[in-house]
Amino acid sequence: MDQPHKDNSHYNAFQYQPLPTSHHGSFRLVTLLPGSGKDLIACNLRQAYQVENSDNEPSARIPNYEALSYAWGEASKTRSICLDGFQYSVTENLGHALHYLRDRQRQRTLWIDAICINQSDDTEKRQQVGSMHQIFANAQLVIVWLGKPSVDSDLAMSFVKMIHDCFNPPVDPDEEEQNIDWIDSFGQARVGSELIRPNYSHSWVAFHRLLNRSWWSRAWVMQELLVAKRVVICCGHASASWMAFRVAIPVTRMANSEIVSCIVGGTSCLISSISELYSLPIHLIEPAFRLVARKVARSEIGTRDIQRAEGLTHWLSGTRHRACKVAHDKIYSVLGLAGGQFREAILPDYSQPIETLFAQTARIYIETSGCLDIISHSQHSKGQQNMPSWVPDWGRHERATSFAEVAVTNCHQASGTTVAAASFSSDTLMLLAKGICMGIVADRQIEVHLLPDLTKEKKQHTASGEIIDGSEDYDTVYWHFVRSAEVLLYPAMELLSPEDPLWADHLDLFLRAFQIQRRHGKIVLGDNFDRRRPHLESWAHLTEQQICPHFPRFYDHLQGLLTSRTIISTEDGRLGIAPDFTEAGDLVCVLFGCHSPVVLRKIDGLFFFVGDCWMYQMMDGEAIQMLNEGMIQEDQFTIV
């Protein structure tokens, strides 16, 4: 929950009545009274109950209401409203929302965190934060407030609808939300032919500015949207359906270069608008759109089922790219998406140290799921001063893709069907995990010797989402090796079916190709490289034009997977992809209940968690099979 400005002088005119302790899940609603123009905004506070009956449905006591999803804005900028006849102070952005949402003739019943929760009562705040997902799930409508209108926001809102109308959505809105197959290439072509034109340059710039508003980067957005029955997005008096934005965002992203060219062609558009298109942090909103794309009708599936399908770490990873004023909300903002057992074990408490909360989250996840995948998200362990190396710091940007998550997606499981055999020290500083040591790292940075055009670029992700040049040891490191990639990967293509345009297991293919090339030495780049080598018999019937179009997509995906990684080799010759600060002498281990192998560093009898890795011919339970056949033995690792 965003935190308010705690200047008690703003609240001394109004006194909250405590919520009844006899009703579990009780909460307040605010009635926004009719008004217009410069009339003082007036509200009444009322009490409701969120008690569920025997059918696990919301109690009939709850009146119909709408929930407001918004950014608090600057705490120092406030305005006064009238609440139950008393003066009450709200942030300027909330004041604007109440002004524009107010009806001239009828009342509106709303849930608004800043008003409905006594922000001075920490006990009440903890209880309400734990119920937030249910409050949004029970709302008849979730209103997303982007802010007051700007000079071109109305243009942007109408343009979103124009993009949406280029497609042929189902008549039934519920079907539209469930199934996005209708977002087809024909509709995209219509956008290209009808809207990506110089006379729409101002509209594209206005739309991108709208996407740069602070609401899009809020941590709480994911939970508020995913559990919602229905969503409408408002900016001033203008509004549009969530699905209109759901269509417009990916279409805009896919056609970004064409849009920029279009703006260059718009003679009345300033050059500064072009740079805006490149600099806007669109990646901040992508997690929210991925979540909404996976939504299905609430009658068919509940939030707990969605959690089981996707995994809690999916939601936690999403908060890394999102803003919250208090780091605790990296966890609390997605608590409602977790399974009941995990959710009940985490009690919101903003007073506890953030390091304690992150460690507690990792421990409870492991204990309730029997899975160790969460430790694969610890990617700054060498730079973590106040936390164990195995505990993810959700407040820092993700350095690398979690290979455990990739393994789940591609149906790999290095530890077979085992569950985590883990315990913890009483202070949760040590993780005692059972598993198997599969090798010792002998060599690293092998890619430097094999890929002649490889360059590595260090970048830093700022709190605002901007990506700038980096200088710290643990900034994100990006690979660039497009020509070597082409030479390297074509010989390995004969091992795949040409009918698979996505080439699913990118990492296995890359390591296989790397192993082949390693026998021949460093790649030699030539201008006349023949892409269709004679031994590629399965591809002989395809033309070069049919093969090559897949490379940009394949290369982009592979490049993302290799970010902040290095190629390693173990003493027995196994190749793998590991964190870039892996060192010779580190151990490659398979821990029970973890989908990917991990790299551990032994220090004075204890183990330091370096990160997860992807090992060639070790991703499908081979270690467990060797253990069962008595070829290797089980070990216990005390990780600090």
Side-chain angles (χ1 to χ4, degrees):
M1 181 178 65
D2 294 333
Q3 301 296 301
H5 177 57
K6 290 190 176 180
D7 181 351
N8 291 330
S9 64
H10 290 303
Y11 298 92
N12 57 13
F14 176 83
Q15 297 293 322
Y16 280 94
Q17 296 300 312
L19 289 168
T21 57
S22 58
H23 295 279
H24 175 69
S26 57
F27 67 107
R28 303 182 185 92
L29 291 171
V30 62
T31 301
L32 178 60
L33 301 177
S36 62
K38 296 183 178 180
D39 293 347
L40 179 66
I41 295 171
C43 301
N44 291 331
L45 206 57
R46 57 189 292 193
Q47 210 141 283
Y49 301 104
Q50 200 172 311
V51 180
E52 293 182 347
N53 59 29
S54 58
D55 296 324
N56 209 33
E57 293 294 332
S59 168
R61 286 178 177 269
I62 303 177
N64 289 338
Y65 66 92
E66 302 163 313
L68 185 65
S69 175
Y70 69 108
W72 278 69
E74 294 184 40
S76 59
K77 294 182 178 180
T78 62
R79 62 183 296 181
S80 293
I81 65 170
C82 180
L83 183 61
D84 284 347
F86 296 92
Q87 179 180 333
Y88 191 88
S89 184
V90 298
T91 60
E92 188 175 58
N93 190 44
L94 177 53
H96 290 145
L98 294 171
H99 173 80
Y100 282 96
L101 294 175
R102 179 173 58 178
D103 193 88
R104 289 175 175 270
Q105 297 181 331
R106 66 178 183 88
Q107 300 178 351
R108 294 189 77 161
T109 301
L110 302 164
W111 184 87
I112 304 170
D113 58 354
I115 300 175
C116 296
I117 300 175
N118 182 357
Q119 302 292 338
S120 299
D121 186 337
D122 290 338
T123 301
E124 177 181 310
K125 198 158 58 174
R126 284 196 296 268
Q127 183 272 322
Q128 293 288 286
V129 168
S131 301
M132 206 83 80
H133 68 287
Q134 207 167 8
I135 292 172
F136 275 86
N138 290 341
Q140 296 300 304
L141 176 69
V142 170
I143 302 169
V144 170
W145 173 252
L146 295 183
K148 66 177 182 179
S150 63
V151 65
D152 58 4
S153 60
D154 285 351
L155 174 65
M157 295 292 283
S158 61
F159 192 60
V160 169
K161 298 174 186 176
M162 291 179 65
I163 297 174
H164 178 265
D165 291 345
C166 284
F167 298 84
N168 296 304
V171 176
D172 183 355
D174 287 335
E175 183 184 350
E176 177 178 305
E177 186 68 36
Q178 293 176 52
N179 184 3
I180 61 169
D181 290 342
W182 51 269
I183 305 179
D184 55 15
S185 56
F186 176 75
Q188 293 177 33
R190 281 191 62 189
V191 171
S193 63
E194 297 179 17
L195 299 183
I196 303 182
R197 303 173 66 177
N199 55 313
Y200 284 108
S201 59
H202 284 296
S203 299
W204 286 112
V205 172
F207 180 41
H208 280 74
R209 283 178 181 155
L210 195 69
L211 298 182
N212 201 29
R213 296 201 175 206
S214 60
W215 179 85
W216 298 101
S217 61
R218 289 180 63 241
W220 284 91
V221 161
M222 293 190 293
Q223 178 175 278
E224 292 167 359
L225 289 180
L226 188 65
V227 303
K229 297 175 183 175
R230 196 161 62 92
V231 180
V232 65
I233 298 182
C234 299
C235 184
H237 286 301
S239 65
S241 71
W242 171 253
M243 202 48 168
F245 277 84
R246 172 63 189 90
V247 173
I249 287 289
V251 169
T252 302
R253 191 181 187 281
M254 286 186 289
N256 194 58
S257 59
E258 290 86 348
I259 294 167
V260 172
S261 299
C262 150
I263 292 175
V264 172
T267 55
S268 61
C269 188
L270 297 176
I271 294 298
S272 61
S273 298
I274 302 172
S275 62
E276 281 186 83
L277 283 178
Y278 282 120
S279 63
L280 289 176
I282 296 178
H283 64 278
L284 291 174
I285 64 172
E286 288 181 344
F289 280 92
R290 286 198 296 269
L291 298 183
V292 174
R294 296 187 179 112
K295 278 183 66 174
V296 295
R298 289 174 56 84
S299 60
E300 295 182 6
I301 192 168
T303 56
R304 284 187 292 273
D305 294 311
I306 294 175
Q307 186 275 332
R308 283 198 297 269
E310 297 291 342
L312 175 64
T313 53
H314 178 79
W315 315 125
L316 290 172
S317 295
T319 67
R320 274 186 149 148
H321 305 275
R322 297 185 167 278
C324 52
K325 294 182 179 179
V326 179
H328 297 65
D329 283 338
K330 296 289 185 177
I331 306 298
Y332 300 153
S333 65
V334 293
L335 201 55
L337 301 176
Q341 193 177 3
F342 178 89
R343 185 168 64 238
E344 291 164 7
I346 298 284
L347 302 177
D349 180 3
Y350 288 96
S351 66
Q352 70 175 319
I354 190 61
E355 296 85 4
T356 302
L357 175 60
F358 286 166
Q360 179 190 35
T361 299
R363 175 175 182 164
I364 293 174
Y365 173 90
I366 293 168
E367 290 177 337
T368 57
S369 68
C371 178
L372 281 175
D373 286 354
I374 194 167
I375 70 174
S376 73
H377 292 272
S378 179
Q379 301 170 348
H380 303 83
S381 52
K382 222 175 165 185
Q384 291 179 187
Q385 303 299 321
N386 302 317
M387 285 191 299
S389 63
W390 55 273
V391 174
D393 183 350
W394 301 107
R396 302 180 73 170
H397 195 278
E398 194 170 51
R399 283 192 83 237
T401 300
S402 161
F403 282 168
E405 300 287 337
V406 175
V408 171
T409 302
N410 289 349
C411 300
H412 294 292
Q413 189 159 353
S415 61
T417 58
T418 62
V419 296
S423 59
F424 303 86
S425 60
S426 58
D427 56 8
T428 316
L429 294 179
M430 294 183 182
L431 165 64
L432 287 75
K434 292 183 178 180
I436 307 161
C437 178
M438 293 296 291
I440 300 173
V441 176
D443 199 6
R444 60 187 292 276
Q445 298 288 349
I446 300 174
E447 66 276 5
V448 174
H449 308 295
L450 235 62
L451 308 177
D453 66 330
L454 173 65
T455 60
K456 292 188 177 183
E457 185 180 27
K458 190 175 288 187
K459 291 291 184 179
Q460 182 183 39
H461 294 256
T462 67
S464 64
E466 186 181 3
I467 301 176
I468 61 176
D469 290 338
S471 58
E472 299 297 325
D473 287 343
Y474 303 106
D475 287 334
T476 306
V477 179
Y478 295 92
W479 289 34
H480 301 284
F481 65 114
V482 63
R483 293 189 67 204
S484 289
E486 188 176 80
V487 177
L488 180 71
L489 295 171
Y490 264 90
M493 285 164 44
E494 66 177 341
L495 304 172
L496 299 173
S497 167
E499 280 70 41
D500 181 9
L502 293 179
W503 301 343
D505 281 338
H506 294 66
L507 295 173
D508 273 351
L509 173 65
F510 178 71
L511 285 175
R512 189 176 303 185
F514 211 91
Q515 187 144 298
I516 294 171
Q517 186 63 46
R518 199 180 182 198
R519 300 191 193 109
H520 301 290
K522 187 173 182 178
I523 289 175
V524 177
L525 299 178
D527 293 334
N528 298 316
F529 172 67
D530 183 4
R531 293 177 175 82
R532 289 180 291 135
R533 296 187 178 182
H535 64 279
L536 300 181
E537 295 178 1
S538 63
W539 297 81
H541 66 286
L542 298 180
T543 66
E544 185 170 329
Q545 288 70 30
Q546 289 172 308
I547 298 174
C548 290
H550 300 306
F551 258 103
R553 184 165 44 158
F554 179 87
Y555 174 76
D556 287 347
H557 192 183
L558 181 61
Q559 195 178 26
L561 293 171
L562 294 175
T563 298
S564 300
R565 300 284 185 173
T566 185
I567 306 300
I568 63 169
S569 175
T570 60
E571 290 180 349
D572 61 355
R574 292 177 184 265
L575 280 181
I577 305 169
D580 53 7
F581 44 82
T582 299
E583 297 177 359
D586 289 344
L587 306 182
V588 175
C589 303
V590 171
L591 302 180
F592 300 151
C594 190
H595 280 79
S596 64
V598 301
V599 177
L600 301 178
R601 182 169 301 153
K602 193 171 185 177
I603 303 175
D604 297 330
L606 301 175
F607 292 90
F608 177 89
F609 182 77
V610 178
D612 66 351
C613 59
W614 192 281
M615 300 299 296
Y616 186 52
Q617 295 182 339
M618 201 188 294
M619 299 303 302
D620 295 299
E622 293 88 346
I624 304 303
Q625 184 177 347
M626 293 171 68
L627 177 66
N628 293 337
E629 294 174 356
M631 300 171 63
I632 50 178
Q633 63 182 13
E634 176 184 308
D635 291 302
Q636 179 166 286
F637 306 93
T638 301
I639 309 173
V640 295

